[in-house]
Amino acid sequence: MASDNPDEAPKRLSSDESLWGNQESKRKRGGPAFGVRVDEVPQEEEPGDPPVPVPAERPDPDPPDPPDPPGPPDPPGPRPRRRLLRVDLLIAAAAVALLLVGFLLGVAVTRAGTEEPQPVANTAAPPPSTSIPAPPGPPPRECLIAMERADAAIAYLVGNIRDQRLSDTIQEFVESRRACQAAVR
């Protein structure tokens, strides 16, 4: 431990000696743990010893459990990570298996409703014709007159002409349409 006199050279400390001297026992490190009470260390002890935690007394009527037999110590390392990895892989495998079972069940249910397969429509394309179609002839004169009268009725409607001319044109259109249908048959 270093001396309080500034004129003296500081001495080297061993790894067992405290850098803080007596002050270390007065400092709290992280606070007491749950259910553990830290008592002040009496001054008779050596100044380098850390405080000893004293468990808090609980009014527990049950007798304490016997100590577990000493077994092989747990090796330090990635042991908990391996367990977590195994659990994650187990969950992932269970999810994949559940999805697969659901898919297969869905396929089985949809196929169970239809006992016979749907017939495929066998529509053959019509054989190509080797003859050249004849161009249609001019339309009958009655159909041309019906189209002209229909155009005239539309022009009256668009021009907002609502009088006897519109009524006459519509009646003439109906007569010529009937004549066109008779000429085409």
Side-chain angles (χ1 to χ4, degrees), residues 24-101:
E24 185 171 314
S25 63
K26 296 177 185 173
R27 287 186 18 213
K28 291 185 179 180
R29 291 188 174 187
F34 180 76
V36 177
R37 184 181 66 199
V38 179
D39 292 334
E40 289 291 325
V41 179
Q43 292 298 330
E44 294 96 36
E45 295 182 10
E46 293 181 321
D49 291 340
V52 177
V54 177
E57 296 180 22
R58 288 186 270 169
D60 198 13
D62 296 333
D65 293 332
D68 292 333
D74 290 335
R79 197 74 170 145
R81 282 192 174 174
R82 283 188 182 171
R83 288 183 189 155
L84 290 176
L85 181 63
R86 288 179 189 160
V87 169
D88 289 344
L89 288 176
L90 182 64
I91 290 172
V96 168
L98 185 63
L99 286 173
L100 183 63
V101 167

Side-chain angles (χ1 to χ4, degrees), residues 153-167:
I154 291 172
Y156 286 138
L157 290 170
V158 170
N160 204 14
I161 300 172
R162 310 271 195 253
D163 58 4
Q164 190 62 35
R165 290 179 289 179
L166 176 62
S167 179

